[in-house]
Amino acid sequence: MAMTIKVYEVDRYGRTRVIRPEAEVTPLKTVEPRTSFPACECGRCKKP
């Protein structure tokens, strides 16, 4: 079974901009389990 994906961004005024047009993708059959997300790299979370 194929799926479609379209990547876009929305600015603070509600305007949208397409980053990648709609494309057909095939889902993975298995996914490696992870115990955590990667560390956040935003300025608020990074240690000085």
Side-chain angles (χ1 to χ4, degrees):
M1 171 168 73
M3 300 175 4
T4 58
I5 187 168
K6 180 179 180 179
V7 181
Y8 62 94
E9 69 180 11
V10 180
D11 68 12
R12 70 176 86 192
Y13 305 108
R15 295 178 298 216
T16 59
R17 180 173 74 102
V18 175
I19 305 296
R20 291 189 197 149
E22 191 170 300
E24 192 170 301
V25 295
T26 304
L28 297 174
K29 298 207 185 292
T30 59
V31 178
E32 288 185 32
R34 292 188 177 191
T35 57
S36 65
F37 289 101
C40 180
E41 295 197 18
C42 78
R44 190 172 65 187
C45 293
K46 276 186 172 179
K47 295 195 178 180

mmCIF file of all heavy atoms in Angstrom:
data_model
loop_
_atom_site.group_PDB
_atom_site.id
_atom_site.type_symbol
_atom_site.label_atom_id
_atom_site.label_comp_id
_atom_site.label_asym_id
_atom_site.label_seq_id
_atom_site.Cartn_x
_atom_site.Cartn_y
_atom_site.Cartn_z
ATOM 1 N N MET A 1 0.847 -1.180 0.000
ATOM 2 C CA MET A 1 0.000 0.000 0.000
ATOM 3 C C MET A 1 0.893 1.244 0.000
ATOM 4 O O MET A 1 1.756 1.402 0.845
ATOM 5 C CB MET A 1 -0.896 -0.017 1.248
ATOM 6 C CG MET A 1 -1.634 1.270 1.431
ATOM 7 S SD MET A 1 -2.944 1.257 2.652
ATOM 8 C CE MET A 1 -2.059 1.225 4.165
ATOM 9 N N ALA A 2 0.707 2.114 -0.939
ATOM 10 C CA ALA A 2 1.492 3.346 -1.041
ATOM 11 C C ALA A 2 0.765 4.484 -0.341
ATOM 12 O O ALA A 2 -0.448 4.463 -0.170
ATOM 13 C CB ALA A 2 1.738 3.700 -2.491
ATOM 14 N N MET A 3 1.528 5.457 0.094
ATOM 15 C CA MET A 3 0.983 6.652 0.746
ATOM 16 C C MET A 3 1.531 7.863 0.007
ATOM 17 O O MET A 3 2.483 7.759 -0.743
ATOM 18 C CB MET A 3 1.423 6.706 2.212
ATOM 19 C CG MET A 3 0.976 5.530 3.009
ATOM 20 S SD MET A 3 1.556 5.408 4.711
ATOM 21 C CE MET A 3 2.482 6.827 5.074
ATOM 22 N N THR A 4 0.915 9.025 0.244
ATOM 23 C CA THR A 4 1.457 10.258 -0.325
ATOM 24 C C THR A 4 1.855 11.188 0.815
ATOM 25 O O THR A 4 1.300 11.135 1.911
ATOM 26 C CB THR A 4 0.440 10.981 -1.234
ATOM 27 O OG1 THR A 4 -0.726 11.264 -0.475
ATOM 28 C CG2 THR A 4 0.094 10.141 -2.440
ATOM 29 N N ILE A 5 2.849 12.011 0.534
ATOM 30 C CA ILE A 5 3.324 12.977 1.524
ATOM 31 C C ILE A 5 3.598 14.296 0.807
ATOM 32 O O ILE A 5 4.035 14.322 -0.342
ATOM 33 C CB ILE A 5 4.589 12.466 2.254
ATOM 34 C CG1 ILE A 5 4.971 13.406 3.387
ATOM 35 C CG2 ILE A 5 5.728 12.255 1.287
ATOM 36 C CD1 ILE A 5 6.024 12.837 4.318
ATOM 37 N N LYS A 6 3.304 15.390 1.490
ATOM 38 C CA LYS A 6 3.569 16.731 0.972
ATOM 39 C C LYS A 6 4.129 17.532 2.145
ATOM 40 O O LYS A 6 3.555 17.536 3.229
ATOM 41 C CB LYS A 6 2.277 17.369 0.480
ATOM 42 C CG LYS A 6 2.431 18.763 -0.066
ATOM 43 C CD LYS A 6 1.077 19.265 -0.545
ATOM 44 C CE LYS A 6 1.130 20.642 -1.117
ATOM 45 N NZ LYS A 6 -0.168 21.082 -1.596
ATOM 46 N N VAL A 7 5.264 18.153 1.956
ATOM 47 C CA VAL A 7 5.910 18.908 3.033
ATOM 48 C C VAL A 7 5.725 20.388 2.768
ATOM 49 O O VAL A 7 6.028 20.876 1.684
ATOM 50 C CB VAL A 7 7.413 18.560 3.126
ATOM 51 C CG1 VAL A 7 8.069 19.321 4.253
ATOM 52 C CG2 VAL A 7 7.611 17.057 3.295
ATOM 53 N N TYR A 8 5.202 21.086 3.768
ATOM 54 C CA TYR A 8 5.004 22.523 3.629
ATOM 55 C C TYR A 8 5.227 23.194 4.978
ATOM 56 O O TYR A 8 5.293 22.552 6.006
ATOM 57 C CB TYR A 8 3.613 22.836 3.092
ATOM 58 C CG TYR A 8 2.484 22.379 3.981
ATOM 59 C CD1 TYR A 8 1.912 23.232 4.907
ATOM 60 C CD2 TYR A 8 1.985 21.085 3.898
ATOM 61 C CE1 TYR A 8 0.879 22.813 5.731
ATOM 62 C CE2 TYR A 8 0.961 20.658 4.711
ATOM 63 C CZ TYR A 8 0.410 21.526 5.621
ATOM 64 O OH TYR A 8 -0.600 21.114 6.437
ATOM 65 N N GLU A 9 5.383 24.515 4.958
ATOM 66 C CA GLU A 9 5.530 25.272 6.192
ATOM 67 C C GLU A 9 4.454 26.343 6.243
ATOM 68 O O GLU A 9 3.949 26.783 5.217
ATOM 69 C CB GLU A 9 6.921 25.886 6.313
ATOM 70 C CG GLU A 9 7.220 26.990 5.333
ATOM 71 C CD GLU A 9 8.612 27.575 5.497
ATOM 72 O OE1 GLU A 9 9.435 27.009 6.232
ATOM 73 O OE2 GLU A 9 8.874 28.601 4.875
ATOM 74 N N VAL A 10 4.107 26.739 7.442
ATOM 75 C CA VAL A 10 3.097 27.772 7.668
ATOM 76 C C VAL A 10 3.752 28.881 8.483
ATOM 77 O O VAL A 10 4.353 28.616 9.519
ATOM 78 C CB VAL A 10 1.878 27.207 8.433
ATOM 79 C CG1 VAL A 10 0.834 28.280 8.655
ATOM 80 C CG2 VAL A 10 1.287 26.008 7.711
ATOM 81 N N ASP A 11 3.657 30.133 8.008
ATOM 82 C CA ASP A 11 4.234 31.235 8.771
ATOM 83 C C ASP A 11 3.233 31.739 9.813
ATOM 84 O O ASP A 11 2.116 31.239 9.914
ATOM 85 C CB ASP A 11 4.729 32.359 7.854
ATOM 86 C CG ASP A 11 3.614 33.103 7.139
ATOM 87 O OD1 ASP A 11 2.429 32.935 7.486
ATOM 88 O OD2 ASP A 11 3.944 33.880 6.225
ATOM 89 N N ARG A 12 3.637 32.698 10.586
ATOM 90 C CA ARG A 12 2.789 33.185 11.685
ATOM 91 C C ARG A 12 1.506 33.858 11.217
ATOM 92 O O ARG A 12 0.587 34.064 11.985
ATOM 93 C CB ARG A 12 3.574 34.134 12.588
ATOM 94 C CG ARG A 12 3.894 35.455 11.915
ATOM 95 C CD ARG A 12 4.588 36.402 12.840
ATOM 96 N NE ARG A 12 6.019 36.117 12.792
ATOM 97 C CZ ARG A 12 6.891 36.603 13.632
ATOM 98 N NH1 ARG A 12 6.511 37.369 14.601
ATOM 99 N NH2 ARG A 12 8.163 36.324 13.512
ATOM 100 N N TYR A 13 1.437 34.191 9.932
ATOM 101 C CA TYR A 13 0.239 34.823 9.385
ATOM 102 C C TYR A 13 -0.702 33.811 8.729
ATOM 103 O O TYR A 13 -1.716 34.193 8.166
ATOM 104 C CB TYR A 13 0.633 35.902 8.371
ATOM 105 C CG TYR A 13 1.572 36.917 8.973
ATOM 106 C CD1 TYR A 13 2.909 36.937 8.610
ATOM 107 C CD2 TYR A 13 1.141 37.821 9.934
ATOM 108 C CE1 TYR A 13 3.790 37.849 9.176
ATOM 109 C CE2 TYR A 13 2.003 38.733 10.515
ATOM 110 C CZ TYR A 13 3.328 38.740 10.132
ATOM 111 O OH TYR A 13 4.191 39.629 10.694
ATOM 112 N N GLY A 14 -0.343 32.519 8.784
ATOM 113 C CA GLY A 14 -1.183 31.482 8.219
ATOM 114 C C GLY A 14 -0.932 31.195 6.750
ATOM 115 O O GLY A 14 -1.627 30.391 6.152
ATOM 116 N N ARG A 15 0.072 31.852 6.175
ATOM 117 C CA ARG A 15 0.406 31.590 4.773
ATOM 118 C C ARG A 15 1.208 30.299 4.680
ATOM 119 O O ARG A 15 2.059 30.038 5.535
ATOM 120 C CB ARG A 15 1.224 32.737 4.189
ATOM 121 C CG ARG A 15 0.441 34.034 4.135
ATOM 122 C CD ARG A 15 1.296 35.145 3.591
ATOM 123 N NE ARG A 15 2.436 35.370 4.475
ATOM 124 C CZ ARG A 15 2.973 36.540 4.738
ATOM 125 N NH1 ARG A 15 2.495 37.627 4.165
ATOM 126 N NH2 ARG A 15 3.993 36.659 5.554
ATOM 127 N N THR A 16 0.939 29.494 3.654
ATOM 128 C CA THR A 16 1.667 28.242 3.486
ATOM 129 C C THR A 16 2.608 28.330 2.291
ATOM 130 O O THR A 16 2.372 29.074 1.345
ATOM 131 C CB THR A 16 0.708 27.052 3.264
ATOM 132 O OG1 THR A 16 -0.075 27.304 2.108
ATOM 133 C CG2 THR A 16 -0.202 26.851 4.454
ATOM 134 N N ARG A 17 3.694 27.562 2.388
ATOM 135 C CA ARG A 17 4.674 27.487 1.310
ATOM 136 C C ARG A 17 5.077 26.020 1.184
ATOM 137 O O ARG A 17 5.440 25.373 2.168
ATOM 138 C CB ARG A 17 5.899 28.326 1.652
ATOM 139 C CG ARG A 17 6.980 28.302 0.583
ATOM 140 C CD ARG A 17 8.087 29.284 0.895
ATOM 141 N NE ARG A 17 8.946 28.842 1.966
ATOM 142 C CZ ARG A 17 10.158 28.302 1.789
ATOM 143 N NH1 ARG A 17 10.641 28.131 0.594
ATOM 144 N NH2 ARG A 17 10.879 27.928 2.821
ATOM 145 N N VAL A 18 4.998 25.477 -0.026
ATOM 146 C CA VAL A 18 5.336 24.076 -0.268
ATOM 147 C C VAL A 18 6.859 23.921 -0.273
ATOM 148 O O VAL A 18 7.557 24.615 -1.008
ATOM 149 C CB VAL A 18 4.736 23.568 -1.596
ATOM 150 C CG1 VAL A 18 5.202 22.150 -1.882
ATOM 151 C CG2 VAL A 18 3.226 23.642 -1.547
ATOM 152 N N ILE A 19 7.362 23.014 0.562
ATOM 153 C CA ILE A 19 8.790 22.718 0.608
ATOM 154 C C ILE A 19 9.098 21.590 -0.376
ATOM 155 O O ILE A 19 10.056 21.663 -1.131
ATOM 156 C CB ILE A 19 9.221 22.288 2.023
ATOM 157 C CG1 ILE A 19 8.822 23.337 3.055
ATOM 158 C CG2 ILE A 19 10.706 21.990 2.078
ATOM 159 C CD1 ILE A 19 9.480 24.672 2.902
ATOM 160 N N ARG A 20 8.275 20.540 -0.348
ATOM 161 C CA ARG A 20 8.383 19.433 -1.302
ATOM 162 C C ARG A 20 6.989 19.129 -1.822
ATOM 163 O O ARG A 20 6.064 18.965 -1.040
ATOM 164 C CB ARG A 20 8.933 18.181 -0.627
ATOM 165 C CG ARG A 20 10.369 18.305 -0.238
ATOM 166 C CD ARG A 20 10.890 16.971 0.225
ATOM 167 N NE ARG A 20 12.116 17.184 0.973
ATOM 168 C CZ ARG A 20 12.526 16.439 1.958
ATOM 169 N NH1 ARG A 20 11.824 15.404 2.328
ATOM 170 N NH2 ARG A 20 13.635 16.712 2.581
ATOM 171 N N PRO A 21 6.822 19.033 -3.135
ATOM 172 C CA PRO A 21 5.491 18.732 -3.678
ATOM 173 C C PRO A 21 5.052 17.316 -3.290
ATOM 174 O O PRO A 21 5.853 16.509 -2.838
ATOM 175 C CB PRO A 21 5.673 18.859 -5.183
ATOM 176 C CG PRO A 21 7.125 18.869 -5.433
ATOM 177 C CD PRO A 21 7.821 19.226 -4.169
ATOM 178 N N GLU A 22 3.768 17.046 -3.490
ATOM 179 C CA GLU A 22 3.227 15.739 -3.137
ATOM 180 C C GLU A 22 3.964 14.638 -3.884
ATOM 181 O O GLU A 22 4.202 14.734 -5.076
ATOM 182 C CB GLU A 22 1.738 15.695 -3.472
ATOM 183 C CG GLU A 22 1.034 14.490 -2.914
ATOM 184 C CD GLU A 22 -0.460 14.599 -3.060
ATOM 185 O OE1 GLU A 22 -1.051 15.543 -2.508
ATOM 186 O OE2 GLU A 22 -1.026 13.743 -3.746
ATOM 187 N N ALA A 23 4.344 13.592 -3.144
ATOM 188 C CA ALA A 23 5.063 12.467 -3.739
ATOM 189 C C ALA A 23 4.541 11.177 -3.132
ATOM 190 O O ALA A 23 4.093 11.150 -1.990
ATOM 191 C CB ALA A 23 6.557 12.606 -3.481
ATOM 192 N N GLU A 24 4.630 10.102 -3.891
ATOM 193 C CA GLU A 24 4.206 8.804 -3.397
ATOM 194 C C GLU A 24 5.377 8.150 -2.668
ATOM 195 O O GLU A 24 6.505 8.178 -3.146
ATOM 196 C CB GLU A 24 3.755 7.929 -4.555
ATOM 197 C CG GLU A 24 3.042 6.678 -4.115
ATOM 198 C CD GLU A 24 2.387 5.957 -5.272
ATOM 199 O OE1 GLU A 24 1.535 6.553 -5.943
ATOM 200 O OE2 GLU A 24 2.747 4.796 -5.497
ATOM 201 N N VAL A 25 5.110 7.597 -1.501
ATOM 202 C CA VAL A 25 6.141 6.929 -0.706
ATOM 203 C C VAL A 25 5.643 5.549 -0.296
ATOM 204 O O VAL A 25 4.446 5.310 -0.209
ATOM 205 C CB VAL A 25 6.509 7.749 0.558
ATOM 206 C CG1 VAL A 25 7.156 9.057 0.179
ATOM 207 C CG2 VAL A 25 5.297 7.985 1.422
ATOM 208 N N THR A 26 6.584 4.660 -0.049
ATOM 209 C CA THR A 26 6.256 3.318 0.410
ATOM 210 C C THR A 26 6.640 3.209 1.881
ATOM 211 O O THR A 26 7.798 3.465 2.233
ATOM 212 C CB THR A 26 7.026 2.259 -0.412
ATOM 213 O OG1 THR A 26 6.735 2.462 -1.785
ATOM 214 C CG2 THR A 26 6.629 0.864 -0.005
ATOM 215 N N PRO A 27 5.715 2.850 2.751
ATOM 216 C CA PRO A 27 6.035 2.738 4.175
ATOM 217 C C PRO A 27 7.027 1.607 4.431
ATOM 218 O O PRO A 27 7.075 0.623 3.688
ATOM 219 C CB PRO A 27 4.693 2.424 4.833
ATOM 220 C CG PRO A 27 3.659 2.526 3.783
ATOM 221 C CD PRO A 27 4.321 2.567 2.469
ATOM 222 N N LEU A 28 7.801 1.743 5.500
ATOM 223 C CA LEU A 28 8.724 0.684 5.908
ATOM 224 C C LEU A 28 7.940 -0.499 6.448
ATOM 225 O O LEU A 28 6.868 -0.336 7.033
ATOM 226 C CB LEU A 28 9.663 1.201 7.000
ATOM 227 C CG LEU A 28 10.591 2.339 6.620
ATOM 228 C CD1 LEU A 28 11.351 2.819 7.843
ATOM 229 C CD2 LEU A 28 11.555 1.903 5.537
ATOM 230 N N LYS A 29 8.488 -1.683 6.279
ATOM 231 C CA LYS A 29 7.830 -2.878 6.813
ATOM 232 C C LYS A 29 8.090 -2.998 8.315
ATOM 233 O O LYS A 29 7.228 -3.407 9.071
ATOM 234 C CB LYS A 29 8.317 -4.111 6.082
ATOM 235 C CG LYS A 29 7.975 -4.077 4.599
ATOM 236 C CD LYS A 29 7.837 -5.438 4.025
ATOM 237 C CE LYS A 29 7.619 -5.401 2.539
ATOM 238 N NZ LYS A 29 6.381 -4.864 2.110
ATOM 239 N N THR A 30 9.298 -2.643 8.744
ATOM 240 C CA THR A 30 9.631 -2.672 10.173
ATOM 241 C C THR A 30 10.369 -1.388 10.529
ATOM 242 O O THR A 30 11.024 -0.787 9.688
ATOM 243 C CB THR A 30 10.528 -3.875 10.528
ATOM 244 O OG1 THR A 30 11.730 -3.785 9.762
ATOM 245 C CG2 THR A 30 9.843 -5.187 10.230
ATOM 246 N N VAL A 31 10.262 -1.008 11.775
ATOM 247 C CA VAL A 31 10.930 0.195 12.266
ATOM 248 C C VAL A 31 11.776 -0.185 13.467
ATOM 249 O O VAL A 31 11.321 -0.918 14.350
ATOM 250 C CB VAL A 31 9.886 1.266 12.681
ATOM 251 C CG1 VAL A 31 10.577 2.498 13.226
ATOM 252 C CG2 VAL A 31 8.998 1.609 11.502
ATOM 253 N N GLU A 32 13.026 0.297 13.497
ATOM 254 C CA GLU A 32 13.882 0.017 14.638
ATOM 255 C C GLU A 32 13.357 0.751 15.858
ATOM 256 O O GLU A 32 13.119 1.961 15.803
ATOM 257 C CB GLU A 32 15.310 0.491 14.359
ATOM 258 C CG GLU A 32 16.055 -0.354 13.354
ATOM 259 C CD GLU A 32 17.498 0.094 13.217
ATOM 260 O OE1 GLU A 32 18.089 0.570 14.202
ATOM 261 O OE2 GLU A 32 18.014 -0.030 12.104
ATOM 262 N N PRO A 33 13.171 0.051 16.971
ATOM 263 C CA PRO A 33 12.696 0.739 18.173
ATOM 264 C C PRO A 33 13.781 1.658 18.753
ATOM 265 O O PRO A 33 14.969 1.333 18.700
ATOM 266 C CB PRO A 33 12.375 -0.403 19.131
ATOM 267 C CG PRO A 33 13.152 -1.565 18.637
ATOM 268 C CD PRO A 33 13.353 -1.375 17.167
ATOM 269 N N ARG A 34 13.366 2.788 19.259
ATOM 270 C CA ARG A 34 14.290 3.734 19.895
ATOM 271 C C ARG A 34 13.796 4.007 21.301
ATOM 272 O O ARG A 34 12.598 4.060 21.547
ATOM 273 C CB ARG A 34 14.349 5.051 19.132
ATOM 274 C CG ARG A 34 14.987 4.908 17.792
ATOM 275 C CD ARG A 34 15.191 6.262 17.187
ATOM 276 N NE ARG A 34 15.877 6.112 15.914
ATOM 277 C CZ ARG A 34 16.371 7.102 15.246
ATOM 278 N NH1 ARG A 34 16.251 8.307 15.700
ATOM 279 N NH2 ARG A 34 16.983 6.896 14.112
ATOM 280 N N THR A 35 14.716 4.227 22.197
ATOM 281 C CA THR A 35 14.324 4.493 23.573
ATOM 282 C C THR A 35 14.207 5.978 23.858
ATOM 283 O O THR A 35 13.638 6.367 24.863
ATOM 284 C CB THR A 35 15.334 3.871 24.556
ATOM 285 O OG1 THR A 35 16.633 4.397 24.273
ATOM 286 C CG2 THR A 35 15.357 2.359 24.417
ATOM 287 N N SER A 36 14.766 6.821 22.982
ATOM 288 C CA SER A 36 14.686 8.261 23.223
ATOM 289 C C SER A 36 14.806 9.031 21.913
ATOM 290 O O SER A 36 15.237 8.503 20.902
ATOM 291 C CB SER A 36 15.801 8.697 24.170
ATOM 292 O OG SER A 36 17.050 8.499 23.560
ATOM 293 N N PHE A 37 14.429 10.289 21.972
ATOM 294 C CA PHE A 37 14.575 11.190 20.838
ATOM 295 C C PHE A 37 15.975 11.783 20.870
ATOM 296 O O PHE A 37 16.599 11.853 21.926
ATOM 297 C CB PHE A 37 13.552 12.325 20.921
ATOM 298 C CG PHE A 37 12.145 11.868 20.659
ATOM 299 C CD1 PHE A 37 11.267 11.647 21.706
ATOM 300 C CD2 PHE A 37 11.707 11.657 19.366
ATOM 301 C CE1 PHE A 37 9.973 11.228 21.475
ATOM 302 C CE2 PHE A 37 10.420 11.230 19.114
ATOM 303 C CZ PHE A 37 9.548 11.015 20.172
ATOM 304 N N PRO A 38 16.493 12.264 19.741
ATOM 305 C CA PRO A 38 17.797 12.933 19.768
ATOM 306 C C PRO A 38 17.719 14.214 20.600
ATOM 307 O O PRO A 38 16.644 14.782 20.780
ATOM 308 C CB PRO A 38 18.082 13.249 18.302
ATOM 309 C CG PRO A 38 16.829 13.003 17.558
ATOM 310 C CD PRO A 38 15.918 12.203 18.414
ATOM 311 N N ALA A 39 18.855 14.626 21.100
ATOM 312 C CA ALA A 39 18.905 15.826 21.938
ATOM 313 C C ALA A 39 18.452 17.055 21.157
ATOM 314 O O ALA A 39 18.760 17.205 19.980
ATOM 315 C CB ALA A 39 20.318 16.038 22.449
ATOM 316 N N CYS A 40 17.700 17.933 21.815
ATOM 317 C CA CYS A 40 17.246 19.170 21.203
ATOM 318 C C CYS A 40 18.433 20.108 21.031
ATOM 319 O O CYS A 40 19.299 20.197 21.893
ATOM 320 C CB CYS A 40 16.177 19.821 22.082
ATOM 321 S SG CYS A 40 15.545 21.353 21.406
ATOM 322 N N GLU A 41 18.469 20.825 19.926
ATOM 323 C CA GLU A 41 19.585 21.729 19.673
ATOM 324 C C GLU A 41 19.157 23.190 19.648
ATOM 325 O O GLU A 41 19.898 24.038 19.152
ATOM 326 C CB GLU A 41 20.272 21.349 18.369
ATOM 327 C CG GLU A 41 20.918 19.978 18.444
ATOM 328 C CD GLU A 41 21.927 19.744 17.343
ATOM 329 O OE1 GLU A 41 22.385 20.723 16.738
ATOM 330 O OE2 GLU A 41 22.251 18.589 17.110
ATOM 331 N N CYS A 42 17.978 23.502 20.189
ATOM 332 C CA CYS A 42 17.558 24.900 20.206
ATOM 333 C C CYS A 42 18.360 25.667 21.257
ATOM 334 O O CYS A 42 18.951 25.085 22.166
ATOM 335 C CB CYS A 42 16.059 25.014 20.492
ATOM 336 S SG CYS A 42 15.595 24.807 22.220
ATOM 337 N N GLY A 43 18.403 26.981 21.119
ATOM 338 C CA GLY A 43 19.173 27.825 22.034
ATOM 339 C C GLY A 43 18.732 27.729 23.472
ATOM 340 O O GLY A 43 19.534 27.865 24.396
ATOM 341 N N ARG A 44 17.451 27.469 23.704
ATOM 342 C CA ARG A 44 16.934 27.370 25.067
ATOM 343 C C ARG A 44 17.399 26.070 25.748
ATOM 344 O O ARG A 44 17.647 26.058 26.945
ATOM 345 C CB ARG A 44 15.427 27.446 25.045
ATOM 346 C CG ARG A 44 14.794 27.593 26.402
ATOM 347 C CD ARG A 44 13.344 27.858 26.302
ATOM 348 N NE ARG A 44 12.669 26.691 25.723
ATOM 349 C CZ ARG A 44 11.404 26.642 25.387
ATOM 350 N NH1 ARG A 44 10.654 27.701 25.524
ATOM 351 N NH2 ARG A 44 10.876 25.553 24.887
ATOM 352 N N CYS A 45 17.525 24.994 24.979
ATOM 353 C CA CYS A 45 17.904 23.696 25.554
ATOM 354 C C CYS A 45 19.410 23.455 25.593
ATOM 355 O O CYS A 45 19.885 22.692 26.425
ATOM 356 C CB CYS A 45 17.238 22.570 24.774
ATOM 357 S SG CYS A 45 15.451 22.540 24.940
ATOM 358 N N LYS A 46 20.154 24.087 24.676
ATOM 359 C CA LYS A 46 21.611 23.889 24.659
ATOM 360 C C LYS A 46 22.224 24.496 25.917
ATOM 361 O O LYS A 46 21.821 25.552 26.369
ATOM 362 C CB LYS A 46 22.238 24.580 23.456
ATOM 363 C CG LYS A 46 22.204 23.774 22.202
ATOM 364 C CD LYS A 46 22.979 24.532 21.152
ATOM 365 C CE LYS A 46 23.171 23.726 19.925
ATOM 366 N NZ LYS A 46 23.897 24.439 18.902
ATOM 367 N N LYS A 47 23.206 23.808 26.408
ATOM 368 C CA LYS A 47 23.905 24.359 27.582
ATOM 369 C C LYS A 47 25.040 25.241 27.091
ATOM 370 O O LYS A 47 25.756 24.873 26.169
ATOM 371 C CB LYS A 47 24.442 23.232 28.445
ATOM 372 C CG LYS A 47 23.312 22.421 29.028
ATOM 373 C CD LYS A 47 23.773 21.566 30.138
ATOM 374 C CE LYS A 47 22.515 20.882 30.634
ATOM 375 N NZ LYS A 47 22.641 20.022 31.671
ATOM 376 N N PRO A 48 25.227 26.412 27.700
ATOM 377 C CA PRO A 48 26.287 27.333 27.234
ATOM 378 C C PRO A 48 27.673 26.817 27.507
ATOM 379 O O PRO A 48 27.960 25.990 28.205
ATOM 380 C CB PRO A 48 26.033 28.619 28.015
ATOM 381 C CG PRO A 48 25.037 28.295 29.062
ATOM 382 C CD PRO A 48 24.463 26.958 28.756
#
